[in-house]
Amino acid sequence: MMNLEQTEKKTIDSRMLAELISGGIRNLVIHRDEVNDLNVFPIPDGDTGSNMLMTIQGGERIVPYEDEGIGDFARRAADGMLFSARGNSGVILSQIADGIAAGLEGLEYANVEDTARAFQCGVDHAYSAVAEPVEGTILTVVREAAEYAASLNCSDIQEYLDAFILQANESLRHTPELLEILKKAGVVDSGGAGLIYIVEGALSVLKGERIENSGEPAGHTVSSAPGAELNFDLFDEDSELVYGYCTELLLRLQRKKTDIEHFDMEKFREYLQSIGDSVVCLKTGSMVKLHVHTKEPYRVLKYGQRFGEYLTVKIENMSLQHNNLPADSKLSHPEEHKQFGIVAVASGEGIKKNFREMGTDRIIEGGQTMNPSADDFIEAFRRINADMIFVLPNNGNVILAAEQAAKLYEAAEVRVIPTRSIGDGYAVLSMLDLDSGDADTIEKEMTASMEGVVTGSVTRCIRDTEMDGFRLRKGQYLGIVGKEIVSADNDRRDTVCMLTTRMDFKDHQICIVIRGKDSTKEEAEEIASMLRREHRDCEVYVLDGGQEIYSYYIILE
């Protein structure tokens, strides 16, 4: 807690900021399900609360050093959130934190004026992170709250946060008036609600109030040990180290060892390339996150310690990892290099298998209810030894995290193709042609291949509500095209049939029926036969996708 001197000066230090972050996390843990339940569609995709929680937890595991200024600590905590960010609201939250850190740069302590300025920087960073900012979202809530609280010329930080929360709640209440889809669903913006719970938790700590522990661990555990599921017998006394060690380190640069501001990252990277490959080096503030495949990891440790000390160390035997992988997903040889690489987000064994066969180099498990983080993308990027990487997010709530990862990654050029559905991803991969060797041409062709693609989906309704002219009941099957519910019924097959009648088959030559885990092969073939009879000019294919949540995807190309 703050000491007497700080209280009299009405400032907060790095340790108090760490406590405020933890307080925000504890309060969000308590209210996470409430935030998740504010999803617009009554389907199992309410993950905003979980995404924001996992994002901010990336900052909680950063512990302030003794006598570390609030500016330096805020930067390290924000960097943790940037890498952990997932989902649109999580990415925006990480950008708010990034802006706050920029506003606190160089400060030992922060007073109310510093806090107000930092929050305004947070607003500016959040808006700049979104190509087309939409009002009625977390952006509106944080902007109006920060502007209102700053306008009052508050006497201390507690008064500032009280005013911030007061206006944030008022802004949240009006979000349905600004965003029609919220009004239709009868909910307020979930990201804005999550932000309020975080700030309320921080304010409770500032006031000395106790936030009850939910019983759930708040942060992540960092481990340097290999996964417990590995079979160590697959690397025995006679095995040969073919692939070297996957070496990942988080290095804190030390002023007594180097000039942090002018630290030569290029020279550091060149050394790592001289003793290994698949090199990734990212510097943010005084932290260097590095990755390298090498047979001599001790040389990496020794070299890095010339400039600082390690915060985390992970060294894994890649030959052991390789031997534990299924036959169709063995690690590529470290020296294999290619001009272009493809990363895609998908779930369901059948879908992932098809994506691999269609040219995807690395698949990130994820999609609805399971949005990958920026760090998940970076991990996939570094496993591809390519000059240019194209990314298929295949979900509208994943695009921002992919774009954030692309900005953070320096070892290759990364371009995110804005695929918003599995159907978009299939269309891009089915037309994939890398022969031109020109990145601009390939990107243009990928984007063009999505034009005209229509994706329908069938899933379960999770609450009683009225929407899009339907009186919906929990447990019903719903047919959805884009952002509109077009069919609802207690019978799954009938829901699919009604869905397809609302999909425009005109000018489409291919229909792909992808069945999920809860559907049957017989039912899928019946649906396909019906579609072949009704649309004779369209080729209909059935795939076993094995996806959770969605009983069917219907894709028109």
Side-chain angles (χ1 to χ4, degrees), residues 478-500:
L478 304 181
I480 302 170
V481 177
K483 296 183 178 181
E484 183 182 4
I485 296 173
V486 300
S487 64
D489 198 271
N490 292 325
D491 184 85
R492 183 173 57 217
R493 184 181 180 280
D494 288 346
T495 304
V496 178
C497 292
M498 285 187 284
L499 165 68
T500 58

Side-chain angles (χ1 to χ4, degrees), residues 202-356:
L203 179 59
S204 295
V205 170
L206 197 62
K207 290 179 176 179
E209 299 171 354
R210 180 180 177 82
I211 301 175
E212 291 299 324
N213 195 318
S214 67
E216 177 179 326
H220 294 305
T221 300
V222 180
S223 171
S224 60
E229 72 279 1
L230 293 180
N231 180 2
F232 296 119
D233 291 336
L234 294 178
F235 192 87
D236 60 22
E237 295 82 356
D238 299 313
S239 296
E240 181 181 354
L241 184 69
V242 176
Y243 296 99
Y245 295 93
C246 176
T247 305
E248 296 181 41
L249 309 168
L250 193 60
L251 175 67
R252 172 72 170 187
L253 300 175
Q254 301 290 302
R255 289 192 178 92
K256 63 183 179 181
K257 292 187 175 186
T258 189
D259 182 346
I260 296 175
E261 286 69 27
H262 300 95
F263 181 71
D264 192 341
M265 278 295 294
E266 190 55 40
K267 182 178 180 181
F268 194 90
R269 186 180 290 108
E270 287 176 0
Y271 176 78
L272 295 180
Q273 290 171 339
S274 73
I275 61 171
D277 51 40
S278 296
V279 174
V280 178
C281 280
L282 305 172
K283 178 179 179 290
T284 52
S286 61
M287 281 203 309
V288 175
K289 182 171 185 175
L290 66 93
H291 165 276
V292 61
H293 292 171
T294 178
K295 291 186 177 182
E296 300 172 300
Y298 68 90
R299 295 177 65 183
V300 182
L301 290 165
K302 184 177 180 180
Y303 184 75
Q305 211 164 16
R306 291 168 54 181
F307 310 104
E309 300 297 342
Y310 294 106
L311 303 178
T312 62
V313 174
K314 186 171 75 170
I315 300 174
E316 295 181 339
N317 183 323
M318 291 173 61
S319 295
L320 180 61
Q321 288 180 320
H322 179 271
N323 293 341
N324 275 272
L325 287 172
D328 67 344
S329 59
K330 296 290 188 183
L331 293 170
S332 300
H333 191 281
E335 295 180 0
E336 184 179 339
H337 177 268
K338 57 171 62 180
Q339 185 178 6
F340 301 111
I342 308 292
V343 171
V345 177
S347 64
E349 292 307 313
I351 292 176
K352 291 189 290 185
K353 181 175 182 291
N354 273 275
F355 274 21
R356 291 189 191 99

Side-chain angles (χ1 to χ4, degrees), residues 53-244:
L53 178 61
M54 287 185 279
T55 297
I56 193 172
Q57 283 176 333
E60 188 196 30
R61 67 178 177 223
I62 307 299
V63 178
Y65 298 114
E66 186 175 353
D67 298 328
E68 182 177 26
I70 193 171
D72 288 344
F73 170 70
R75 168 46 52 205
R76 293 197 298 120
D79 289 343
M81 295 184 209
L82 289 171
F83 283 103
S84 298
R86 63 188 72 216
N88 291 342
S89 294
V91 171
I92 293 172
L93 177 64
S94 73
Q95 288 295 327
I96 293 172
D98 185 53
I100 289 174
L104 297 174
E105 185 177 0
L107 298 179
E108 292 297 313
Y109 304 96
N111 59 25
V112 64
E113 289 82 9
D114 299 325
T115 302
R117 183 176 60 253
F119 264 90
Q120 188 55 55
C121 286
V123 172
D124 295 341
H125 276 233
Y127 269 86
S128 65
V130 183
E132 298 180 5
V134 176
E135 298 300 335
T137 65
I138 183 176
L139 292 172
T140 304
V141 174
V142 69
R143 175 177 56 79
E144 293 183 347
E147 289 174 352
Y148 173 77
S151 72
L152 298 182
N153 295 317
C154 300
S155 61
D156 57 33
I157 297 173
Q158 179 177 316
E159 185 180 340
Y160 174 89
L161 293 182
D162 270 321
F164 183 99
I165 292 168
L166 178 68
Q167 179 58 47
N169 276 297
E170 183 67 13
S171 297
L172 182 67
R173 190 168 65 84
H174 289 290
T175 53
E177 298 171 15
L178 299 173
L179 202 54
E180 181 64 25
I181 195 168
L182 296 176
K183 188 174 183 180
K184 284 172 59 178
V187 296
V188 295
D189 178 65
S190 55
L195 176 68
I196 291 172
Y197 284 129
I198 291 169
V199 180
E200 285 179 341
L203 179 59
S204 295
V205 170
L206 197 62
K207 290 179 176 179
E209 299 171 354
R210 180 180 177 82
I211 301 175
E212 291 299 324
N213 195 318
S214 67
E216 177 179 326
H220 294 305
T221 300
V222 180
S223 171
S224 60
E229 72 279 1
L230 293 180
N231 180 2
F232 296 119
D233 291 336
L234 294 178
F235 192 87
D236 60 22
E237 295 82 356
D238 299 313
S239 296
E240 181 181 354
L241 184 69
V242 176
Y243 296 99

